[in-house]
């Protein structure tokens, strides 16, 4: 859903990445929630631009080094999702009701062997896979499905062009 500007402060600012290779999309299974698959995403650190955050997040979550030249497209608006009510108190001291994110399609042309889910002190994924774009929403956790539908629809041309 497009972000309501009046409620920015209740959403943690972040980025999301549709990492593409050969027309397929990278998804990772959350280490803390088996069966919950998601696209790479994360918060924007103070003083960081969205482009800097996406490069850092991809490196932290996948071990891959990408550059701004690998960015194929970005969504027009910041998009937001709400966390389930029972999860809000458990994350970030209950400060945020969800995240507002800038989403990007990013090309990756290197070997799968370069993917390393254990490069950060706090790994997020237990395993990963390349999926056909039309399957990404199906494997996502329920509270992110509407967001993923919007992201995938808006970035689909860039994803398919990454073949």
């Amino acid at each position: 859903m497009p972000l309501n500007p009046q409620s920015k402060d209740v959403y943690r600012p972040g980025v999301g990445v549709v990492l593409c290779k050969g027309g397929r999309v990278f998804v990772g299974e959350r280490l803390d929630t088996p069966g919950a698959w998601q696209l790479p995403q994360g918060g924007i650190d103070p003083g960081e631009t969205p482009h800097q955050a996406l490069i850092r997040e991809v490196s932290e979550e996948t071990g891959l080094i990408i550059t701004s030249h690998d960015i194929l497209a970005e969504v027009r608006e910041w998009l937001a999702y709400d966390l389930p009510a029972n999860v809000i108190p458990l994350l970030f001291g209950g400060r945020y009701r969800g995240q507002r994110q800038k989403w990007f399609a990013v090309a990756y042309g290197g070997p799968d062997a370069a993917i390393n889910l254990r490069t950060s002190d706090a790994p997020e994924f237990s395993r990963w896979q390349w999926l056909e774009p039309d399957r990404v929403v199906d494997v996502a956790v329920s509270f992110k499905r509407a967001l993923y539908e919007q992201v995938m629809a808006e970035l689909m041309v860039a994803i398919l062009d990454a073949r």
Side-chain angles (χ1 to χ4, degrees):
M1 74 181 108
L3 181 65
N4 175 350
Q6 284 74 35
S7 61
K8 274 186 181 179
D9 58 339
V10 297
Y11 289 94
R12 179 177 179 237
V15 294
V17 182
V18 180
L19 187 62
C20 311
K21 180 180 179 182
R24 296 178 139 209
V25 175
F26 175 99
V27 293
E29 183 180 37
R30 289 199 51 89
L31 191 61
D32 59 0
T33 315
W37 294 82
Q38 74 177 43
L39 299 165
Q41 66 173 56
I44 298 173
D45 290 340
E48 208 174 33
T49 68
H51 283 188
Q52 291 167 331
L54 89 86
I55 290 167
R56 177 183 49 75
E57 284 295 331
V58 168
S59 175
E60 289 175 1
E61 294 184 9
T62 70
L64 300 176
I65 305 302
I66 62 164
T67 70
S68 293
H69 299 293
D70 299 313
I71 298 171
L72 302 170
E74 67 182 78
V75 295
R76 290 182 302 274
E77 298 179 33
W78 289 77
L79 305 173
Y81 71 86
D82 291 331
L83 293 164
N86 63 321
V87 175
I88 292 172
L90 306 175
L91 299 175
F92 310 108
R95 179 175 173 197
Y96 303 110
R97 70 181 244 193
Q99 287 199 50
R100 64 179 171 90
Q101 300 169 316
K102 191 65 158 173
W103 280 86
F104 300 87
V106 175
Y108 175 65
D112 288 356
I115 296 172
N116 180 354
L117 304 180
R118 301 284 185 260
T119 58
S120 90
D121 292 337
E124 291 196 32
F125 301 134
S126 59
R127 60 189 176 131
W128 64 272
Q129 62 181 317
W130 294 109
L131 282 184
E132 294 297 326
D134 61 353
R135 299 243 4 261
V136 172
V137 173
D138 296 336
V139 302
V141 293
S142 60
F143 67 92
K144 290 186 182 176
R145 286 187 184 149
L147 170 73
Y148 278 18
E149 283 177 3
Q150 189 172 359
V151 167
M152 297 303 290
E154 192 167 336
L155 297 177
M156 187 59 71
V157 170
I159 294 165
L160 295 176
D161 283 349
R163 290 188 169 161

